[in-house]
Structures are given as structure tokens and as C-alpha cells.
Amino acid sequence: MPLLALIVAVAATVAGFTQAGVHDYPQWRGPHRDGSAAGFEAPASWPKALTRRWKADVGEGYATPLVVGDRVYAFTRIGGQETPIALEAATGAERWRSGYPAPYSPGPPAAAHGAGPKATPLYYEGKLFTLGISGIVTAFDAAAGKILWQTAPPAEAPFFGAASSPLGESGLAIVHPGNYGPLTAFDSATGAVKWTAGGDGFCITDRRHARRRAADRLRHHRQRHRVALRRPRALAPSVGRRRRLDDAGGERRHHHRERASTKA
């Protein structure tokens, strides 16, 4: 049955929320997208049981809640709307709720998962970026919940649902919008498309942001290819490296270089 998102705050975590930035969890798998907990200091002794401070039913979905400063952000489905909600981290009190109509029916193999969003939002530059299950990308004002910009619903919604969690870098919100098109970098302020890379279908996966030898890389898996985009001192790619995969998933020996398309 579909997952009903439930946020529970316990004493062991709420105690650190007043230290803004120390325990922020602004995107998928944390600040560095590696699952680490920055700034955490383990107590000298652990209690036998944690004390629940509050809980909140926030809707249906699989997106991980974000913790930024004194706020918790959730992104779920409530009725026929995809709905971001901001809560006070210390008390669970709702500060704002926004949303937009998002009709969606999952394909039969994914019906048991429900129609709730699967991609974890991104908090970046004071905005909350979401990817809905049908592929709608939206930027919200994180302080008040106002929609700042939004992409149009895709002509064809993905069969299993869009699930790529957005990445913020260099003034861009980078995500696969889930419309069987390319990986796309949006201007975080306006939503204008700055560049795209690749062109075939996508897999339900995510990109990992890794720094190696002073160069930024963005790895993106599509149905038949794995693409690595790299450019020193900036994430926007000029040349990407594509490794072709055969139908069985094995990597072929030859490689070729692919120039990413750019849009103003």
C-alpha cells in the first residue's frame, strides 16, 4: 500500500535544531549527498528510549523531509495536489502549506507505490525545489511557500514516476524532469533552461555530486547510457563523457565524447 508520510521529532534531535546550519539536511542524503550527519556529537550515554516531542501526518509519498535551520520541509500528495509543507522543527507547528494540482495515475507495476512524490526536495538559495511524480519542477519561496516558477506538466508522464532528486550548484537547479528528455539545468531564480545533456530515457536513480582533483562531476544514469559531466571550477558542462551500456547492462569497451547542448 502507498506510504503515508509521518514526521516524528524526538528529544535527541530537536535539541540541536537551535544551532542553525549545524544540523541542516537540505537535500537528498544530506549536505554532501553522501548520507553523513555533519556537526553531530554523540552523547556520553544514550537513553534507553527516545522521548517523542511531536508528530505530524503530512500526506502520501516517499520524499525525505528536509531540516534547515528551525524548519522542517515535507513534500507529499494530499488529495489531487502535490503539497510542500513547512513545520517548526521544535514544535511541529505548521508555518505554511502550498501546492498545485497534479493528476497522476501510476502504471500497473507501480500502482502499489501510490501517486505520492518520490524525489526528495532541494533547499537552495532560500528556495525549495521539488520534482513531482509526473515530472513537474517547481520553485517555492522557502519563507512563505509562494510558487516562484514552475515547468509545464509533461506531455507523457513517466510510467514508474519521476524520482530524481534535484541538485543545486552555481545558481542552477539541476534535475531530470522525468519527461523522457534530457538532464536539465534550470536558472534557480527564473526557471530558464541554461543547458541540457543527453537525450534518451531515464532510469529511476539520482545523481551524486563528487569533487575529484578540483573538478566538479555530475553523474547521471539513463536507460542505456551513463553520463559524466565535468568542467573545472563550474558544474555547467561543455563536454560530457558517455559510456555505452549494452542491453544486458554490461559496459562496452569503447568510449566517445559528447558535447552537451546549451540553451540561453
Side-chain angles (χ1 to χ4, degrees):
M1 58 185 298
L3 176 69
L4 296 179
L6 177 72
I7 299 178
V8 178
V10 295
T13 56
V14 172
F17 286 148
T18 55
Q19 303 176 38
V22 176
H23 297 284
D24 282 357
Y25 204 88
Q27 61 180 330
W28 180 76
R29 300 192 73 208
H32 305 293
R33 301 173 81 90
D34 59 2
S36 64
F40 176 75
E41 295 183 6
S45 62
W46 288 91
K48 292 182 179 181
L50 298 177
T51 301
R52 188 176 72 193
R53 292 289 183 88
W54 57 265
K55 71 175 182 178
D57 294 310
V58 292
E60 174 190 347
Y62 293 85
T64 304
L66 305 183
V67 179
V68 180
D70 61 354
R71 292 287 183 268
V72 176
Y73 298 96
F75 180 51
T76 65
R77 174 177 290 273
I78 300 176
Q81 290 208 329
E82 289 182 327
T83 305
I85 301 173
L87 307 172
E88 285 188 2
T91 66
E94 185 173 313
R95 306 316 303 167
W96 58 257
R97 177 182 298 222
S98 188
Y100 53 88
Y104 178 80
S105 296
H113 299 166
K118 298 178 178 179
T120 296
L122 164 71
Y123 181 95
Y124 180 61
E125 296 181 334
K127 306 176 188 67
L128 192 70
F129 298 90
T130 62
L131 174 69
I133 196 168
S134 69
I136 298 173
V137 183
T138 310
F140 297 88
D141 174 12
K146 178 183 177 181
I147 294 178
L148 302 176
W149 57 263
Q150 185 176 70
T151 62
E156 181 182 0
F159 189 73
F160 291 100
S164 300
S165 301
L167 166 71
E169 180 75 24
S170 303
L172 302 174
I174 304 167
V175 68
H176 196 297
N179 56 3
Y180 299 103
L183 178 68
T184 305
F186 299 93
D187 184 294
S188 62
T190 67
V193 174
K194 306 304 290 186
W195 54 258
T196 63
D200 58 352
F202 71 102
C203 295
I204 297 180
T205 184
D206 210 301
R207 275 82 53 205
R208 299 188 181 185
H209 188 201
R211 296 181 182 274
R212 294 183 180 180
R213 299 179 182 177
D216 290 336
R217 295 186 179 185
L218 185 68
R219 295 181 179 179
H220 173 54
H221 293 252
R222 305 201 307 275
Q223 283 181 351
R224 298 193 59 177
H225 304 106
R226 181 171 69 239
V227 175
L229 306 175
R230 175 181 177 181
R231 188 178 186 182
R233 297 183 301 278
L235 193 59
S238 57
V239 176
R241 181 185 182 190
R242 173 186 287 183
R243 303 181 188 180
R244 287 195 173 275
L245 306 180
D246 61 28
D247 291 340
E251 184 173 318
R252 297 177 183 173
R253 292 185 177 181
H254 71 275
H255 299 72
H256 72 272
R257 301 173 70 84
E258 171 189 62
R259 182 171 299 277
S261 63
T262 58
K263 295 182 179 181

